[in-house]
Amino acid sequence: MGSDKQSVGLLDTLKMERVRTILTPAYPYPHEHSRHAIIAVVVGCLFFISSDNIHTLVEKLDNNIKWWSMYGCLLGFFYFFSSPFIGKTIKPSYSNFSRWYIAWILVAAVYHLPSFQSMGVDMRMNLSLFLTIYVSSILFLLVFHIIFYGLWYIGLVSRVAGKRPEILTILQNCAVLSIACCVFYSHCGNRAILRQRPLERKPSNWFSLFKKQERNTWLAKFLRMNELKDQVCLSWFAPVGSASDYPLLSKWVIYGELACSGSCPGSSDGISPIYSLWATFIGLYIANYVVERSTGWALTHPVSIKEYGKLKKKQMKPDFLDMVPWYSGTSADLFKTVFDLLVSVTVFLGRFDMRMMQAAMSKVQDGGEQDDLLYDHLSEKDDLWFDFMADTGDGGNSSYSVARLLAQPSIRITRDDSVLTLPRGNLLLIGGDLAYPNPSAFTYERRFFRPFEYALQPPLWYKPEQVAINKPEVPCGVSELKQYDGPQCFVIPGNHDWFDGLNTFMRFICHKSWLGGWFMPQKKSYFALQLPKRWWVFGLDLALHGDIDVYQFKFFSELVKNKVGDGDSVIIITHEPNWLLDWYWNDVSGKNVSHLISDYLKGRCKLRMAGDLHHYMRHSFVQSDGPVHVPHLIVNGCGGAFLHPTHVFSKFKNFQGISYECKAAYPSYEDSSRIALGNILKFRKKNWQFDFIGGIIYFILVFSMFPQCKLDHILQEHSFSGHLRSFVGTVWSTFIYILERSYVSLAGVIILLIVAITFVPPKLSRKKRLIIGVLHVSAHLASALILMLLLELGVETCIRHKLLATSGYHTLYQWYRSVESEHFPDPTGLRARIEQWTHGLYPACIKYLMSAFDIPEVMAVTRSNLCKNGIESFSRGGATIYYASVFLYFWVFSTPVVSLVFGSYLYICINWLHIHFDEAFSSLRIANYKAFTRFHIKSDGDLEVFTLAVDKVPKEWKLDPDWDGETKQPQQLSHLRKFPSKWSAATAQQDPLHTVKIVDQFVIHRTDKSDIGTSNGSVIR
């Protein structure tokens, strides 16, 4: 059930609508409160630790710097692991799992280090008490939510109560509540506060500088904050009375120790303050929850409905998706992408082609003209503005930034002392790759359609689920396409759109009429547009072959013969820029396209445009005596996808025997090379889901090396150089062991080597690929072996200092049961009754929850037994327990290192070897440097070209007050509005409308008959 469901219950039967109106507000309170509780608990922890233990803290640091160094390294390393997840939204995800995972194993490691007790923090007591309270809180709150949900069903509470809280939210609230109880307990004690307790502390060497007359300074007051803490404990943790004062609770409470010195005779009948504190927190949680879900809006929002509506609009934000995590080890979309690509290439490529089916369904008319492929409704205009973009549908912020600029009625750009106004294009051309990582209904709707719909809303009568049967379905009041004066859109597919055989593209492009406020008359995946002043646009579909098919070639070649005049000019749009990619891969592709341009157009092709590479580069021909088939080559794939480098293609100079020079590159070569450095510094932060795979790979590489039983030669050295020499020698010995005697680790090394060699781009020779692959795997293997040896040395050191392997399994639970009766007497037999009612489940849950925090002890005990008796003496279950406990810690230690090594590999390859341009920049997930190209066919037939770019894409958006305040007519199309876009940047200075700039501008002259077969098309900068 959800909050929107209309429940039929008791009140509906009795027709008590008045009661329902009073008890249920019309505007539910939409807030969750666990975050504030977390902040309060953290502040409380810091207060208690600093106030009660500042003396012993400094004294410990003063007397034993070695232990504090170990703590600093341990906590610092765990912070290094968890840093990518800090600040991310708490929700059921890999990020949230990692936060809880790191907290779990960090506590398990720290609690075995007794030096924390000098700070007044008894980790064993806190941990055991936490688990007990945690389980009890979960059971209690689950019962409460079931009861409250039942009250909603019969209509006694607000409708929003029907929105069930997520289980994760309940677990997090129980954790916060339990931690709060543990903090108060550990720093105030279970006994009542002794009012006469002397406040004596052993002075540290650092405090000898303070004299009595200086005790009123702010530092002295801070050091004596323990007095304030005692006052807090007296107020919050005071005795609550005995069981005789509360007879109804006598059998259901936790009892506490008596406030007496030494041993207390008899059993305690005083209620433990921990019980009253837990009951207080539970009561606050329930009260807060009930108020929020029943009358929260009326109590916390004493404003009018109109004012509340305005406030709600200000708080609205777009639901944009983040950039695609290409290195995610947990993304189902990426696995689906790989599967779709394998199916498309191995099954359909060369056997089934959607373009062939489109050709079969086309109606061929006189002279080769096809009314579903050729569009001439714009040819009679005096001039025309149109736009080109490609490779959108990645991150919502970047895609919307470009769409917002495309949707504006005009863009004003200040250049020097003049203002240049560029009107919105009547036509939008999109060069493929509409949604990443794979074509599906979800990615098309969320990553492609939604940003454009926010930028320019579709008509009110448009329904997203509507299928266009007879296109073009022009708006009401328009009899034919030629009469429609709004912006239109034509799209060609890219390689990502072909991963499912073009199925999603056909559904969402060829059988829908609106992309936001852009009208889509297109029926097929390729098209020809006749524009004013004898200009043409050919939109070609290369599929996954990198070339047009025979039927496409036939259509365009006959169109050139029958329709394109000698003085006409043609712009050819493809998804892939084969001039750059052929040079990079040392290949030849697009032979049919080249044949069409050189042998049919014969100099009339003035410009080739493409996307696929997510940057902007323009190459123009170098004046020569020979014929020039294409004077200008433009790549602009900055429509929203991650950035690609430009410096990798800096040496491109020649295409089909014609010399070209780079006239513009965005970003510049210098910026592109500098951005690549982010692979070393930011790879893990940008690709933290890569941990899942990286940690497993490293563990497999060293699986056979656990445990290392003979480490005496390292620990017994007396100098740093001796330690280092022995350490390196041991690493080499383990490597030799893997080659000679290991099975699992050797298999992992061989498989990783094959993958690494295959991963190197095939443009290099086999020898170079082998060398790079071997060096890459060697770096990973060396790192894994070093981490393995460091972990083993740490465990061995703890064992030798009697910190681990001192007792056995379930040590925490055994300790808890030994002190349970002392700290929490149970004269009424409450524990025995609960154990009987739950058939032993309750104590079993506590026992195994506590054993989860005994992982270091389990690992050390099992390791000692393995070293003593050998692996043969262990059962399969015992060995599994050991390797699982080792993996839990080794995975954390290895994940930052594997990301660092792999990121360094990508940086070296992209900047030194100029390979992996796709892999090295997709890892950075850069949303900035976005651009599109705006064209203007002037009345004299020349073509002006402006490339507009935004360096930095906003990350935060707000409801545009101009859009919200503009009067909207019911039947008015959105392109007629002055402010068409719904969202503007949260900071006005970062809005794309204010930061847009021109990065390239030139003019292409119209074709003269003398240009055919010769060099043509001069450039005006």
Side-chain angles (χ1 to χ4, degrees), residues 674-749:
R674 174 182 52 82
I675 291 171
L677 183 62
N679 276 294
I680 298 178
L681 305 176
K682 300 179 181 179
F683 180 88
R684 185 164 182 268
K685 185 175 182 180
K686 297 286 187 179
N687 306 279
W688 41 267
Q689 290 171 309
F690 183 71
D691 292 351
F692 183 78
I693 294 178
I696 295 176
I697 291 175
Y698 267 34
F699 183 70
I700 294 175
L701 292 179
V702 297
F703 177 84
S704 301
M705 298 298 100
F706 288 106
Q708 290 289 311
C709 300
K710 299 178 181 180
L711 299 176
D712 294 342
H713 61 290
I714 299 178
L715 299 175
Q716 291 176 358
E717 293 287 347
H718 299 290
S719 63
F720 176 77
S721 59
H723 285 300
L724 183 60
R725 192 182 310 109
S726 299
F727 185 88
V728 174
T730 305
V731 171
W732 177 255
S733 299
T734 55
F735 172 69
I736 299 300
Y737 180 88
I738 290 178
L739 297 181
E740 294 180 349
R741 304 181 62 182
S742 171
Y743 292 99
V744 176
S745 295
L746 182 61
V749 172

Side-chain angles (χ1 to χ4, degrees), residues 21 438 703 728 769:
T21 303
N438 57 69
F703 177 84
V728 174
R769 294 176 66 190

Side-chain angles (χ1 to χ4, degrees), residues 483-705:
Q483 296 179 355
Y484 179 70
D485 59 353
Q488 303 171 36
C489 179
F490 286 81
V491 186
I492 62 171
N495 56 304
H496 282 266
D497 303 305
W498 269 94
F499 283 175
D500 67 342
L502 210 64
N503 177 57
T504 306
F505 181 91
M506 297 298 294
R507 283 194 296 148
F508 281 84
I509 302 301
C510 298
H511 292 288
K512 286 186 180 295
S513 295
W514 295 93
L515 172 63
W518 285 270
F519 182 64
M520 293 193 299
Q522 179 179 347
K523 301 178 183 179
K524 299 291 186 285
S525 64
Y526 54 94
F527 54 85
L529 291 170
Q530 186 175 0
L531 303 182
K533 307 303 177 182
R534 308 180 70 177
W535 281 90
W536 294 76
V537 171
F538 290 177
L540 310 183
D541 179 6
L542 304 184
L544 295 175
H545 301 74
D547 202 356
I548 58 176
D549 63 314
V550 174
Y551 299 96
Q552 224 177 143
F553 181 86
K554 178 182 179 182
F555 164 71
F556 285 109
S557 60
E558 292 181 351
L559 182 66
V560 171
K561 289 181 180 179
N562 300 322
K563 292 287 185 179
V564 180
D566 292 341
D568 290 1
S569 303
V570 179
I571 301 171
I572 288 186
I573 299 176
T574 58
H575 175 64
E576 293 182 354
N578 66 312
W579 55 94
L580 281 182
L581 295 179
D582 286 354
W583 168 83
Y584 180 84
W585 296 110
N586 193 23
D587 192 12
V588 177
S589 64
K591 295 180 180 180
N592 290 341
V593 178
S594 300
H595 180 38
L596 177 69
I597 293 174
S598 59
D599 298 333
Y600 284 83
L601 289 175
K602 298 179 180 179
R604 286 172 287 183
C605 180
K606 293 294 187 177
L607 172 66
R608 286 195 62 180
M609 288 193 302
D612 195 42
L613 296 177
H614 309 160
H615 58 229
Y616 176 79
M617 295 188 76
R618 174 170 69 91
H619 292 86
S620 297
F621 77 103
V622 177
Q623 195 70 37
S624 62
D625 297 332
V628 178
H629 302 300
V630 185
H632 307 288
L633 306 171
I634 287 181
V635 180
N636 190 350
C638 302
F642 64 88
L643 183 68
H644 268 143
T646 54
H647 68 281
V648 174
F649 304 94
S650 59
K651 295 183 179 180
F652 169 77
K653 301 293 183 183
N654 189 279
F655 177 58
Q656 294 182 344
I658 303 171
S659 297
Y660 288 86
E661 62 178 341
C662 182
K663 294 294 186 179
Y666 180 76
S668 65
Y669 296 153
E670 295 77 14
D671 289 341
S672 175
S673 179
R674 174 182 52 82
I675 291 171
L677 183 62
N679 276 294
I680 298 178
L681 305 176
K682 300 179 181 179
F683 180 88
R684 185 164 182 268
K685 185 175 182 180
K686 297 286 187 179
N687 306 279
W688 41 267
Q689 290 171 309
F690 183 71
D691 292 351
F692 183 78
I693 294 178
I696 295 176
I697 291 175
Y698 267 34
F699 183 70
I700 294 175
L701 292 179
V702 297
F703 177 84
S704 301
M705 298 298 100

Side-chain angles (χ1 to χ4, degrees), residues 204-221 223:
S204 171
N205 296 336
W206 291 13
F207 301 126
S208 58
L209 299 175
F210 290 96
K211 300 179 181 180
K212 291 183 179 180
Q213 59 269 25
E214 294 175 338
R215 296 182 68 179
N216 290 327
T217 62
W218 68 270
L219 182 58
K221 290 180 179 179
L223 294 174

Side-chain angles (χ1 to χ4, degrees), residues 1 23-24 140-165 285-296:
M1 292 181 200
L23 296 180
T24 59
F140 191 90
L141 291 184
L142 285 176
V143 172
F144 160 73
H145 282 294
I146 292 174
I147 294 175
F148 197 73
Y149 196 64
L151 294 177
W152 165 82
Y153 185 76
I154 64 175
L156 290 176
V157 293
S158 169
R159 290 189 299 274
V160 76
K163 182 182 178 182
R164 292 169 292 181
Y285 173 89
I286 293 175
N288 197 350
Y289 187 88
V290 171
V291 169
E292 284 183 355
R293 299 305 178 101
S294 297
T295 59

Side-chain angles (χ1 to χ4, degrees), residues 80-81 83-85 94 327 677-698 776 779-780 783-784 787 891-907 923-924:
F80 183 45
F81 173 86
S83 58
F85 317 116
Y94 178 76
Y327 286 87
L677 183 62
N679 276 294
I680 298 178
L681 305 176
K682 300 179 181 179
F683 180 88
R684 185 164 182 268
K685 185 175 182 180
K686 297 286 187 179
N687 306 279
W688 41 267
Q689 290 171 309
F690 183 71
D691 292 351
F692 183 78
I693 294 178
I696 295 176
I697 291 175
Y698 267 34
H776 187 192
H780 284 296
S783 301
L787 288 173
W891 185 76
V892 173
F893 295 150
S894 61
T895 48
V897 179
V898 66
S899 296
L900 179 63
V901 173
F902 188 71
S904 301
Y905 164 79
L906 291 178
Y907 171 75
S923 63
L924 298 176

